[in-house]
Amino acid sequence: MKQSSLLAEKLPAFCNPCDLWYILRQMDKKLIDESKKYLMNTYNRAPIVLRKGRGMKVWDSTGKEYIDFVGGIAVNCLGHCHPKVVIALQKQAQRLIHASNLYHIEPQIRLAKLLVENSFADKVFFCNSGAEAIEGSIKLARKYAKDHVSPGKYGIITAQGSFHGRTLAALSATGQEKFHKGFEPLVPGFTYVPFNDIDALKKAVNDSTCAVMLEPIQGEGGVREPSENYLQQVRQICDENRLLLILDEIQTGMGRTGKLFAYEHSGIQPDIMALAKGLGGGFPIGAILAKEHVASSFQPGTHASTFGGNPLACAAATATMETLLEDGFLLDHCRRIGTYFKDCLEKLKKEYASYIIEIRGKGLMLGMEMTKAGDPIVESCMKMGFLVNCTSGNVLRFTPPLIVTEKEIDHLIDTLEEIFGR
Ligand SMILES: *Cc1c(COP(=O)(O)O)cnc(C)c1O
């Protein structure tokens, strides 16, 4: 029903409904051709044009409806066009769209306060993306170590299979060679150790090491969880060697794993945390959070961003966070529905043991490792009205909005069963 009203919005009344789809498809093809002509070829894009989203649903330009289990890759945490986010943006857009950080900015202050009151951190720095939050975290860790430990400190240990972003230092921090290729020389100072190997981490620490940086659950690396006590042991190694612990919660943060931040599951706290993705509920924003003694190594002139803490971005993020935290409802829902989803995937695995190797993840950050490439399955799902993502070649990844319901999960599981059954 929604589908036809969407079509009606765009088409002249005299159009024959039988021809509608064909006409729209032609318009689409033209757009996609222009996309290829004018945009740099950095993404393997699916051949659809997304035009509209509401809650769990998105529609392409032919009016076809999809249930969105990608959610902008853990970005649209409240679903598409959540009314609270839309209203916050509209209001702020009428008031003040941008002001320089040469002045105090109210939406920034409100958001920083919310983040501090709900995390380990005492101070926040705002930027515009995940990679930028990582760059700033690296700079802050180096500066802190040089200020307080010794001038020869700069090394950061990260994990193999990690992903920290695409700018040069974030890329250098990323422990996957395939992302480095063609961009060498990398930024010096990064050492990679196997994730979940505490002895390897101990051995990698040397006189120049200043920090360890990890994702609490590896995302792009195939949804890989830390083993029992791993993060606690990492924290201990950091404390024993005067190293800072940086957690990259760009994907795991903002309720994704059923807690506001994934470190809460482990009982430990980082010294620095990078946020982005879900923070703005779909609006671009990144943040670096830190304890006071660390944050104070940033002084005027050490770090900055023209757009960082933009009023619109902060208004969207404040609305997103307030909605996430209201009575803890969405976080409870995420834990409960995430368990339900994981159980469903485990059942699917039993049924199709020859295709499915393992189900991993927490809350609504779930991965299904398969014996074969994921792309054909992603394509079949799309044809059948579901957006899902594949990472690391053979891991189907599900990062739906936190508002996803059992019914939508059941539909997806039925669809996957049908695809595997073929
Ligand atoms: C997405 C992601 C990044 C990079 O964020 P961008 O906003 O794309 O720069 C960094 N780290 C993790 C864990 C991510 O998932």
Side-chain angles (χ1 to χ4, degrees):
M1 267 168 291
K2 284 224 175 93
Q3 225 165 311
S4 55
S5 69
L6 194 78
L7 289 178
E9 264 175 39
K10 311 193 337 163
L11 279 155
F14 52 79
C15 230
N16 176 353
C18 301
D19 300 332
L20 292 187
W21 189 83
Y22 178 77
I23 294 167
L24 289 172
R25 195 64 201 137
Q26 292 310 306
M27 284 163 55
D28 240 31
K29 288 218 171 92
K30 185 162 174 273
L31 260 180
I32 290 170
D33 285 345
E34 289 184 340
S35 173
K36 288 178 181 158
K37 182 170 175 200
Y38 294 115
L39 290 163
M40 289 200 195
N41 186 28
T42 49
Y43 307 100
N44 275 319
R45 296 177 197 263
I48 57 173
V49 182
L50 293 182
R51 273 263 164 78
K52 180 167 169 168
R54 279 292 179 281
M56 276 295 294
K57 291 177 182 169
V58 287
W59 290 268
D60 72 14
S61 47
T62 71
K64 185 175 156 78
E65 182 178 295
Y66 304 87
I67 309 290
D68 185 4
F69 278 83
V70 178
I73 312 188
V75 168
N76 299 91
C77 53
L78 302 179
H80 292 274
C81 295
H82 190 284
K84 292 221 170 109
V85 178
V86 172
I87 289 167
L89 280 169
Q90 285 172 335
K91 277 191 176 162
Q92 188 58 46
Q94 289 175 329
R95 199 172 290 145
L96 182 70
I97 292 180
H98 178 78
S100 167
N101 284 309
L102 293 170
Y103 311 98
H104 293 280
I105 297 161
E106 190 184 340
Q108 228 179 69
I109 303 163
R110 288 183 55 204
L111 178 60
K113 188 172 173 210
L114 254 183
L115 284 166
V116 165
E117 284 173 352
N118 288 284
S119 73
F120 74 97
D122 302 307
K123 288 274 166 70
V124 185
F125 175 89
F126 289 116
C127 53
N128 312 286
S129 68
E132 257 183 86
I134 293 296
E135 294 284 325
S137 299
I138 293 167
K139 280 179 71 179
L140 181 58
R142 283 189 175 182
K143 183 75 166 45
Y144 171 84
K146 285 172 198 291
D147 287 351
H148 296 281
V149 191
S150 106
K153 298 262 177 197
Y154 64 92
I156 297 180
I157 301 169
T158 68
Q160 288 169 7
S162 61
F163 181 82
H164 298 294
R166 303 287 193 154
T167 55
L168 204 48
L171 185 73
S172 305
T174 294
Q176 298 190 64
E177 245 167 59
K178 66 177 181 194
F179 293 116
H180 298 162
K181 265 213 172 108
F183 301 107
E184 302 88 349
L186 300 178
V187 175
F190 295 96
T191 312
Y192 321 108
V193 296
F195 191 56
N196 283 333
D197 184 340
I198 208 73
D199 288 329
L201 178 63
K202 269 184 204 161
K203 281 194 198 121
V205 176
N206 62 34
D207 286 344
S208 70
T209 311
C210 74
V212 176
M213 180 160 74
L214 295 170
E215 296 156 87
I217 298 175
Q218 291 190 334
E220 301 299 309
V223 190
R224 294 184 191 276
E225 292 174 82
S227 49
E228 183 88 8
N229 291 329
Y230 177 65
L231 291 174
Q232 292 88 328
Q233 287 172 305
V234 173
R235 178 74 263 182
Q236 198 184 340
I237 291 172
C238 287
D239 292 342
E240 286 166 3
N241 295 279
R242 294 192 73 187
L243 311 177
L244 295 179
L245 176 59
I246 307 171
L247 287 182
D248 177 347
E249 292 236 24
I250 291 165
Q251 194 162 148
T252 53
M254 305 321 290
R256 178 60 40 196
T257 67
K259 300 262 189 195
L260 188 58
F261 304 112
Y263 72 78
E264 296 171 39
H265 294 289
S266 66
I268 59 124
Q269 293 186 341
D271 302 294
I272 301 175
M273 175 168 76
L275 294 178
K277 291 210 163 90
L279 179 57
F283 206 89
I285 180 169
I288 305 164
L289 280 69
K291 296 267 200 200
E292 175 64 44
H293 66 285
V294 179
S296 60
S297 279
F298 272 171
Q299 289 294 322
T302 50
H303 199 56
S305 164
T306 296
F307 288 125
N310 168 276
L312 274 184
C314 290
T318 301
T320 302
M321 246 190 111
E322 282 174 354
T323 309
L324 264 180
L325 292 170
E326 262 167 7
D327 310 323
F329 165 77
L330 263 174
L331 297 180
D332 284 346
H333 175 76
C334 175
R335 280 193 290 275
R336 198 183 55 74
I337 203 84
T339 306
Y340 177 78
F341 196 174
K342 201 170 182 181
D343 289 347
C344 289
L345 291 171
E346 289 287 0
K347 274 184 214 145
L348 195 69
K349 177 181 168 245
K350 279 208 188 99
E351 215 175 320
Y352 295 99
S354 56
Y355 295 136
I356 304 172
I357 299 169
E358 195 179 29
I359 311 297
R360 296 190 290 263
K362 231 189 181 83
L364 286 169
M365 179 173 175
L366 297 174
M368 179 165 94
E369 185 174 350
M370 301 181 300
T371 51
K372 44 184 186 181
D375 285 344
I377 296 184
V378 170
E379 202 182 314
S380 301
C381 282
M382 203 177 74
K383 284 193 178 131
M384 294 167 79
F386 287 89
L387 300 185
V388 300
N389 169 252
C390 171
T391 185
S392 294
N394 66 333
V395 181
L396 279 196
R397 175 171 46 171
F398 309 101
T399 51
L402 307 187
I403 57 171
V404 65
T405 61
E406 280 183 19
K407 206 170 129 199
E408 286 148 347
I409 291 168
D410 291 345
H411 278 168
L412 173 73
I413 298 289
D414 289 347
T415 303
L416 287 171
E417 265 193 287
E418 200 180 321
I419 294 168
F420 283 127
R422 280 181 205 153

